[in-house]
Structure formats: C-alpha cells, structure tokens
Amino acid sequence: AQSVTQLDSQVPVFEEAPVELRCNYSSSVSVYLFWYVQYPNQGLQLLLKYLSGSTLVKGINGFEAEFNKSQTSFHLRKPSVHISDTAEYFCAVSSPLQGAQKLVFGQGTRLTINP
Amino acid sequence: ETGVTQTPRHLVMGMTNKKSLKCEQHLGHNAMYWYKQSAKKPLELMFVYSLEERVENNSVPSRFSPECPNSSHLFLHLHTLQPEDSALYLCASSHARSYEQYFGPGTRLTVT
C-alpha cells in the first residue's frame, strides 16, 4: 500500500523568505509524485509532478521539488515567497488503475505568508 | 464553461433528504473521480470511472451512489446522510492513464 506523510500541518513564513514543505512517501512499486495547491474556496491545482528522469522538478509559480529515492522524500521549495502563495499544499503519490490513476494524498500543509 | 465545473457549490440538507451533486468536465477527458475532503483528514478517493465504467469503489457507504451517464458528466446521489458526511466533495477528471488530474471547485455539503 502507498502512503504519504506531510510532516508539517502549518508553516508560517515571512514574505520574500524561502520555504520548504516536507513530504515523505512509502510505496512498494515505482512512484509517481505530485504536489497540488488549493487556494481558498477552490479546487486543487497541479504545481508539479515527478514521473521519471531528473530528480529536480520545476513547476508553476516558481516552485520546485526534489525526488530523493534513498530518503523517500519529495520536498517542495520556493526561494522567495509572496503573499499570493498563501494556500494549502498537498503531496500525493499515484498508482495505476484500470484506465485511470489513483492518487493518495498527504494531510496537507497550510502555508501562511506574513508581510 | 471551461475546465471542471461542479454544482451546487454549497448544499445544506437534512438527514432524511435526497440530493445529487453534479460534475461536468469540458476537457475531453475519459476518466472522472469523486473525492471527499474533511477537516483534519487527507483527501479520500471515493469513486473512479474510466470510459463510463466504475473501476474503483473505495469502501464508500451505500448512502453515496455515483452515476456516470457519459464521459463528460458525473453525479453523486446522496440519501439518508449522517452529520459526519459534512465535507467538501471534489470532482476531478483526467485522460485515461494520464497522471494529471484536473479538479473542480468542490461542493461544500453540510448535513444537519
């Protein structure tokens, strides 16, 4: 079975500071990893994904994540955050279904940017 | 309309009511999903349809009944719900075997 653990439920950061949101996973098969963002009163939006290849993945809005197989981690980073980055961030791992994909999500990390 | 839409956005219902949630995708996808998002809990996958066939039923109580009449529409029929069913219900869609799912804005359900 697959599972995802997001180690921090809340992360407060000052504007223009760097941030790292931590994610660890467990899986017995090849992993495909994702970070989604949820702004208030909205659905989830894909930030970035790791399927194969380079372990450093760049996504939208200046975010990036690094896949570390030995540490089973996929931490999300941004070098300088903005007020508009205030949202909830979800790490997820995927496994194939018949003609679809099954996403297993972590508990989420609420990122709050303070001016 | 573009993307994935859900109606209604908010719903309050009593435990004896019957209601339905609707999801529509305008992306040409052929897989659709229902998720439940409760406070303090991870998103839970409820149902998955691929090419209008249900391929996943994640031990969801029978008071939730999904319907997928075609690849663009997905419904969740609700009856005799419990207060603990209050949550945000999210619909998503994707191409079959694609790893990227597109989410709707959700329906905020309150059961009184």
Side-chain angles (χ1 to χ4, degrees):
Chain A
Q2 297 175 312
S3 67
V4 176
T5 302
Q6 291 183 243
L7 299 161
D8 306 296
S9 60
Q10 296 187 64
V11 174
V13 182
F14 285 109
E15 194 173 14
E16 298 184 9
V19 70
E20 178 179 84
L21 306 184
R22 297 180 293 169
C23 172
N24 286 90
Y25 67 91
S26 66
S27 176
S28 57
V29 297
S30 298
V31 289
Y32 305 104
L33 294 158
F34 306 80
W35 276 98
Y36 281 83
V37 59
Q38 186 178 31
Y39 298 105
N41 301 313
Q42 294 187 30
L44 276 68
Q45 179 183 1
L46 182 68
L47 269 181
L48 49 79
K49 59 182 181 283
Y50 171 79
L51 304 181
S52 64
S54 173
T55 57
L56 184 62
V57 179
K58 294 190 183 297
I60 62 171
N61 301 340
F63 283 94
E64 63 181 32
E66 185 158 18
F67 171 60
N68 187 318
K69 188 174 182 180
S70 63
Q71 297 187 4
T72 61
S73 67
F74 190 55
H75 300 333
L76 180 70
R77 301 185 184 100
K78 186 170 182 177
S80 175
V81 296
H82 302 284
I83 293 285
S84 59
D85 292 323
T86 295
E88 187 133 21
Y89 292 78
F90 295 92
C91 183
V93 62
S94 173
S95 60
L97 287 171
Q98 175 188 337
Q101 293 294 326
K102 179 176 181 175
L103 282 175
V104 174
F105 286 89
Q107 300 92 324
T109 297
R110 184 168 299 278
L111 178 62
T112 304
I113 312 300
N114 298 306
Chain B
E1 292 277 15
T2 58
V4 181
T5 58
Q6 291 186 243
T7 54
R9 293 293 309 275
H10 300 272
L11 178 63
V12 179
M13 59 186 288
M15 289 190 286
T16 57
N17 291 159
K18 290 184 179 181
K19 296 286 184 183
S20 295
L21 310 185
K22 178 183 176 182
C23 175
E24 185 173 359
Q25 60 93 4
H26 310 268
L27 300 167
H29 292 161
N30 46 23
M32 297 189 77
Y33 310 76
W34 278 118
Y35 289 88
K36 177 183 179 182
Q37 186 177 26
S38 306
K40 310 294 184 187
K41 292 177 68 175
L43 275 85
E44 303 170 65
L45 180 65
M46 299 175 73
F47 301 104
V48 181
Y49 279 82
S50 176
L51 300 172
E52 298 145 47
E53 178 184 346
R54 192 188 309 179
V55 297
E56 178 82 352
N57 179 342
N58 208 20
S59 303
V60 179
S62 60
R63 57 185 183 269
F64 294 91
S65 175
E67 178 189 2
C68 188
N70 55 62
S71 60
S72 298
H73 294 86
L74 184 66
F75 295 89
L76 188 62
H77 305 299
L78 317 170
H79 65 96
T80 59
L81 294 191
Q82 305 298 311
E84 60 265 28
D85 297 323
S86 298
L88 182 68
Y89 289 85
L90 291 164
C91 173
S93 69
S94 72
H95 288 294
R97 299 190 183 87
S98 168
Y99 294 99
E100 183 165 354
Q101 294 182 20
Y102 291 77
F103 284 78
T107 295
R108 174 70 62 187
L109 173 67
T110 303
V111 181
T112 61

